[in-house]
Every structure is written in structure tokens, then in C-alpha cells.
Amino acid sequence: MPAEVVNAAASDADETSFGTAAGDLLTAAGWHLQRYEALSPTLAEHQWASGDDTRWACFTTPDTDPDAVGSGGWTLARPGDHGKQQRITASANTPAAIVASLALSA
């Protein structure tokens, strides 16, 4: 990921919005909620896909169960060079604007 893209996303970030708020930004940009799955009473996954279904953003909620081992977070995917998929991961505490900017970047 070029440093310019990350820096632009960081400077545009609203640091008060986290988690599925990024999904709202993606939906406003023409993406759609492709999948929602409640994995347990305290754990869920949300997956948004781009309008052309070539890119996706998956958010796993932080598990509030004290015995849980995961802290939740984001996995973003898009086509890469030579037919390989490019993935980016981010914590659940990454501001929504940064997640959306990274997901929407070329």
C-alpha cells in the first residue's frame, strides 16, 4: 500500500467512529452488506462487498466473553498483481474513515 494512501486516510479519519461505522461509509460508496453471521452471543462477522464484487471488507466484532482469544478486527481484500489477492488487516480500534479509505483505494 503506498504511503500516500495511508497518510491521506489517516488525515481524513474521524477518530470517534469505529467498527461497523466503516460499513456505513462503504455502503454510502455503493458497497453492500454481503453477509452477517452471529458466531456466538458475543461474536459476529459482517462482510461488505464492492459493487462489482471484486473487493470485500470483513469486520469481526471484539468478543466480550472473558474466555475469548480474539480481539476482533478487519480484513480487507482486493485483486492484486498477477491474479493474486491483496489483503490488509486492521484492529477493531482502527477509525472507520481509515478502514473505508483503505477499502476504497485503488
Side-chain angles (χ1 to χ4, degrees), residues 27-50:
T27 300
W31 288 40
H32 59 279
L33 182 63
Q34 184 177 50
R35 181 177 62 86
Y36 168 79
E37 185 174 356
L39 303 170
S40 76
T42 59
L43 183 65
E45 282 187 356
H46 303 78
Q47 182 172 309
W48 290 266
S50 61

Side-chain angles (χ1 to χ4, degrees), residues 8 12 42-43 63 76 78 103 105:
D12 290 343
T42 59
L43 183 65
D63 197 342
L76 310 173
R78 63 176 158 214
S105 66

Side-chain angles (χ1 to χ4, degrees), residues 22 58-60 62 71-76 87-96 98-100 102-103:
C58 184
F59 179 69
T60 303
S71 59
W74 287 93
T75 301
L76 310 173
R87 289 186 181 220
I88 301 167
T89 59
S91 80
N93 296 320
T94 303
I98 290 177
V99 171
L102 292 172

